[in-house]
Amino acid sequence: MNKEAIFRILRGAPAPADNSRLLFPDGAAAWRERAFAHSDIRRMAEEMKEEADRFLQRPLPHLPWSLFRRFEVDGSRLPYEKPYFEKRTRLTVLAMMDVLYPEDTAYREALYDTLWSICDEYTWCLPAHLTGRDPETHVDLFAAETAFALAEILTLTRQHLPERIASRIDREARRRVLDPYLNRGPFGWEDARHNWSAVCAGSVGAAAIYLMDDARELAGVLEKALASLDCYLDGFADDGVCQEGYGYWAYGFGFFVYFADLLKKRTHGAIDLISRDKVAAVARFPQHCFMSGRKVANFSDTLPEAELDLGLFHFLHARFPDVAVPQAGLRGPFRPDPCGRWAPAIRGIVWRDPELAGEPWGGMSVWFPDAQWLLSRHAENGRTWFFAAKGGHNGEPHNHNDIGHFILHADGDTFLMDLGCGEYTADYFGARRYAFIGNSSLGHSVPIIGGAVQREGAERRAIVLEAATGAEEDVLALDISGAYPDAPLARWVRTFVWRKTGVPHLRLEDAYRFSGKPVELVERFITPCPPEFAGNGCVVLSAGGGRGVCIRYDGGLMAPEARTMAFAAHDGGTMMFHALDFKVREPESEGRLVFAFSFIP
């Protein structure tokens, strides 16, 4: 949609006298009266108040040069990002107090100091996003998010916010974000087919809706933002899968929805992005990838357990009734996410419908042909089993070299796992990305062939030979040999058969043929459970309490061994896991390797 068309819509749809009505159509006071009538909303508010009280006991975080330069010196991100995000969390929590308890003024001075401090910052961008870029004019994820947060908080607190702070927020958001967006771009994310385009363009567009009174000026921002959001949606195939994983679905699609809602209201319904093709399929993605509870099938850079934003699910369910509503009990304590983001925090309570109790994740089996993911959840008699496998290619967003990888889970315990996202550093997103175990095929449940690992690149892709789901059985057969250009392979067909009658069980068969002389073969499985060698061709993965998985194999053909390995987790800590290897004793020119996975009990 071009600028003139947007301008005509804006001219015919005047902004509300009070822009806070974009978030609270009936006014914040009316929302509070309705919401606080429900015990769950009152409990959420009290949880956030407890967070606010803790922040009153802490000093404002400081962002000195010594921390800012760390990324440039050694590639580490966490030393600077920890206080940066703590300050955003402080902002969100204290501003929430003004929305939830406007009569309690004890938090306001702390909020004012936080607003002033953020306006003081050298840059709103992260050092990791500034390499070779001008901090005065560059717009990254967090500069855009900060502008959105400050603009919305300014709007909601305008009646008592000191004018000097209000005018400074407006000036800094324009100087750091809105003016560069209009006059200094284009930025690399503007045509990205992943979360950056949605978060950045959605945030900039939202900030402009709140701060720009001139319809023609606002139309200029919206024209660019809408083009970027078209690119974001283009990044999804028709199956709606977020190949970056659930965490990035919640992030990118969340900001797409936040902006879309504001834009629809600002244009009196004339521009409704959520009615566009493909959005419904994207909205349904999470209900397939949750295994049980908060545990998620975490292909790519996604954490294995997710906090659920019930407000977002409730909003989407209102638009698309077939979007599943998670159980209310799955929500964690009501507090900002680890990056302190304002937009999801405020909507997490404003969009929350306390009348929706939700239901446990139900049974389903689905094949996503574009992403080449098979996800299957079997629920029976209060128990839940989950199997996931993927083909795809090794040039995906937030890619891991993981063609043919799979996950096996039951009743909250994951037995065959995906390590998920590691600690983000310069090297993690640089030339050494696949030296990290979590990104390399060595950190996934896939073969090692003659010492060769899978290679990265979109040309390294699976060929789907069969994909079928049914009431009793799901089948996926993939030729994954294209992922191993350094191995003398003519063919490697990996076939999964997931039987769902009674207690489900999985059969994995790898049929291979060498194009030259046979080389060493190792079948690797990644697990959080210490393997127990039970003899008689069985290795047990035990989660304790009598729960586990027995892996049966041909002991005459393969010899198992296990090693404990370390993984630098996303939060900077160290996670231990186990690599369970089955070495083929005497590889032949062609052969079949079969494993049967049975749940205990």
Side-chain angles (χ1 to χ4, degrees):
M1 186 176 291
N2 64 41
K3 180 177 177 178
E4 286 303 313
I6 298 169
F7 172 68
R8 288 194 295 271
I9 290 172
L10 293 172
R11 189 172 55 183
D18 177 3
N19 268 344
S20 69
R21 296 299 179 111
L22 297 174
L23 185 61
F24 296 102
D26 299 327
W31 172 80
R32 277 191 299 272
E33 183 177 354
R34 289 194 308 272
F36 275 53
H38 295 272
S39 60
D40 191 48
I41 299 294
R42 292 197 302 272
R43 186 162 51 250
M44 292 173 70
E46 286 298 314
E47 289 167 0
M48 190 64 81
K49 192 172 188 293
E50 290 171 6
E51 287 284 299
D53 289 338
R54 283 191 284 270
F55 274 105
L56 291 183
Q57 307 305 314
R58 304 176 193 168
L60 256 170
H62 182 44
L63 299 174
W65 163 248
S66 58
L67 296 182
F68 181 87
R69 67 190 293 267
R70 282 288 299 277
F71 181 79
E72 183 178 325
V73 171
D74 60 17
S76 59
R77 296 176 53 154
L78 291 179
Y80 182 86
E81 291 180 8
K82 183 178 179 180
Y84 177 98
F85 291 134
E86 183 182 348
K87 191 187 291 187
R88 266 64 184 171
T89 304
R90 182 186 183 95
L91 169 71
T92 293
V93 169
L94 295 173
M96 289 285 288
M97 290 300 95
D98 204 74
V99 172
L100 296 170
Y101 303 103
E103 71 287 349
D104 190 339
T105 61
Y107 305 97
R108 283 186 183 167
E109 287 302 322
L111 171 62
Y112 297 161
D113 283 346
T114 306
L115 291 166
W116 194 260
S117 176
I118 289 174
C119 289
D120 274 344
E121 289 175 354
Y122 169 64
T123 177
W124 289 346
C125 298
L126 294 184
H129 301 156
L130 279 176
T131 305
R133 300 181 176 96
D134 184 351
E136 292 291 318
T137 59
H138 186 60
V139 179
D140 74 340
L141 292 168
F142 297 101
E145 285 183 41
T146 299
F148 179 8
L150 293 184
E152 193 160 69
I153 291 168
L154 165 62
T155 301
L156 298 178
T157 62
R158 172 76 79 170
Q159 60 184 354
H160 59 72
L161 192 66
E163 180 54 35
R164 193 178 295 275
I165 297 178
S167 62
R168 192 173 184 207
I169 288 173
D170 183 277
R171 183 170 63 252
E172 293 296 331
R174 288 175 179 272
R175 179 179 72 85
R176 297 171 185 262
V177 175
L178 296 176
D179 291 345
Y181 182 63
L182 281 174
N183 304 315
R184 297 296 187 106
F187 300 102
W189 49 260
E190 291 189 42
D191 59 359
R193 265 66 180 174
H194 52 70
N195 70 88
W196 274 69
S197 53
V199 176
C200 293
S203 293
V204 175
I209 286 173
Y210 280 119
L211 297 179
M212 289 182 167
D213 296 325
D214 183 273
R216 189 167 295 279
E217 184 183 37
L218 176 57
V221 173
L222 296 180
E223 178 186 41
K224 294 189 69 177
L226 289 172
S228 290
L229 292 171
D230 284 342
C231 292
Y232 172 68
L233 289 180
D234 284 345
F236 292 92
D238 290 338
D239 62 16
V241 169
C242 180
Q243 293 180 324
E244 298 175 283
Y246 170 77
Y248 282 101
W249 173 91
Y251 187 28
F253 191 59
F255 273 86
F256 173 88
V257 171
Y258 310 150
F259 170 69
D261 176 60
L262 291 173
L263 182 63
K264 180 183 178 182
K265 291 172 180 172
R266 175 61 183 84
T267 61
H268 298 200
I271 305 178
D272 183 6
L273 301 183
I274 296 177
S275 68
R276 293 188 176 185
D277 293 342
K278 206 185 294 182
V279 172
V282 177
R284 288 190 294 268
F285 169 66
Q287 65 202 52
H288 302 298
C289 66
F290 274 92
M291 300 189 293
S292 68
R294 299 191 189 108
K295 300 292 180 68
V296 66
N298 61 322
F299 298 137
S300 188
D301 277 341
T302 287
L303 294 171
E305 185 166 338
E307 294 286 347
L308 281 89
D309 180 355
L310 295 182
L312 178 58
F313 279 94
H314 292 178
F315 179 92
L316 293 172
H317 178 73
R319 288 297 301 264
F320 307 110
D322 60 346
V323 169
V325 176
Q327 284 181 292
L330 292 182
R331 81 164 182 89
F334 184 56
R335 59 192 177 208
D337 66 24
C339 295
R341 296 184 175 95
W342 160 262
I346 185 65
R347 286 159 180 81
I349 194 167
V350 173
W351 288 355
R352 177 90 160 81
D353 182 351
E355 300 296 334
L356 288 177
E359 297 180 353
W361 304 113
M364 63 86 214
S365 290
V366 61
W367 165 247
F368 292 112
D370 299 305
Q372 297 182 0
W373 288 16
L374 177 67
L375 303 177
S376 183
R377 185 174 51 239
H378 182 64
E380 186 175 291
N381 298 324
R383 299 194 63 191
T384 303
W385 299 268
F386 194 99
F387 164 67
K390 72 179 297 292
H393 61 81
N394 283 343
E396 297 163 352
H398 281 267
N399 179 68
H400 292 186
N401 289 342
D402 60 355
I403 294 172
H405 175 54
F406 69 106
I407 299 171
L408 197 60
H409 174 96
D411 297 325
D413 296 313
T414 302
F415 297 97
L416 279 299
M417 70 185 301
D418 192 301
L419 295 171
C421 52
E423 180 184 350
Y424 286 3
T425 64
D427 286 341
Y428 191 88
F429 290 107
R432 297 189 64 250
R433 178 173 178 83
Y434 299 102
F436 291 87
I437 188 70
N439 304 331
S440 165
S441 65
L442 292 174
H444 294 84
S445 295
V446 296
I448 305 167
I449 304 170
V453 298
Q454 294 188 12
R455 293 294 185 181
E456 65 274 17
E459 69 278 14
R460 313 301 177 197
R461 60 180 60 243
I463 298 172
V464 179
L465 305 177
E466 182 181 2
T469 60
E472 296 185 352
E473 181 178 272
D474 302 327
V475 178
L476 177 61
L478 306 166
D479 186 338
I480 65 172
S481 57
Y484 295 88
D486 302 322
L489 277 181
R491 185 176 174 86
W492 189 292
V493 175
R494 169 159 280 202
T495 303
F496 301 99
V497 180
W498 173 240
R499 291 285 300 172
K500 297 177 287 186
T501 53
V503 175
H505 59 275
L506 174 68
R507 183 179 188 273
L508 167 62
E509 177 185 287
D510 279 337
Y512 66 88
R513 185 171 73 250
F514 287 113
S515 59
K517 183 180 178 181
V519 296
E520 179 183 86
L521 291 181
V522 175
E523 292 274 23
R524 170 162 288 187
F525 303 117
I526 302 298
T527 176
C529 308
E532 303 169 10
F533 299 96
N536 298 318
C538 176
V539 176
V540 173
L541 307 178
S542 177
R547 302 180 307 277
V549 164
C550 173
I551 306 175
R552 296 201 174 276
Y553 63 98
D554 185 340
L557 186 61
M558 293 175 282
E561 63 178 17
R563 68 185 71 181
T564 302
M565 304 180 73
F567 172 63
H570 188 62
D571 62 2
T574 299
M575 182 180 77
M576 307 307 294
F577 69 96
H578 306 277
L580 174 59
D581 291 343
F582 292 84
K583 183 177 180 180
V584 178
R585 298 180 188 276
E586 295 183 9
E588 298 180 349
S589 296
E590 58 182 295
R592 294 177 183 272
L593 308 172
V594 179
F595 300 88
F597 301 82
S598 302
F599 291 101
I600 306 168

